[in-house]
Amino acid sequence: MYEVGEKVLCQDCLKVKDFSIERHGCEESCECGGDFCGCEGCIETINDLIAGKRNAEELGTQSDVEHWTENDGIAKKEEV
């Protein structure tokens, strides 16, 4: 499991990237436009996602997570 200072989590799409001061300090944004954070709570969320938790209450997210990978974050639903 990851420790603080190893990874950052996009606050919008939940994509995981390697920690950098620029990412953690909101100087480098995610491809989706979201800000990264590498605080203890975000590391806990990353570890929970890796462990397979998908319930919003367990994760502390606004909604349940259906499909997620570290590299891609949450899958966007295609517009019909």
Side-chain angles (χ1 to χ4, degrees):
M1 291 292 162
Y2 294 122
E3 303 278 330
V4 173
E6 287 185 77
K7 298 290 179 176
V8 291
L9 179 69
C10 176
Q11 301 301 288
D12 290 343
C13 72
L14 304 181
K15 186 179 294 185
V16 178
K17 297 266 189 163
D18 290 332
F19 180 92
S20 73
I21 296 297
E22 293 78 18
R23 287 178 178 150
H24 183 65
C26 299
E27 295 173 26
E28 181 183 335
S29 296
C30 181
E31 294 87 352
C32 77
D35 291 328
F36 289 108
C37 183
C39 75
E40 186 176 336
C42 287
I43 295 299
E44 185 177 323
T45 300
I46 293 169
N47 289 334
D48 286 346
L49 285 163
I50 291 169
K53 294 182 182 179
R54 298 293 183 263
N55 181 287
E57 189 173 316
E58 290 180 307
L59 292 170
T61 55
Q62 292 181 357
S63 59
D64 291 347
V65 174
E66 291 184 34
H67 304 286
W68 176 86
T69 66
E70 274 189 67
N71 293 329
D72 298 324
I74 54 175
K76 301 285 185 190
K77 293 183 179 178
E78 294 182 33
E79 293 184 29
V80 182

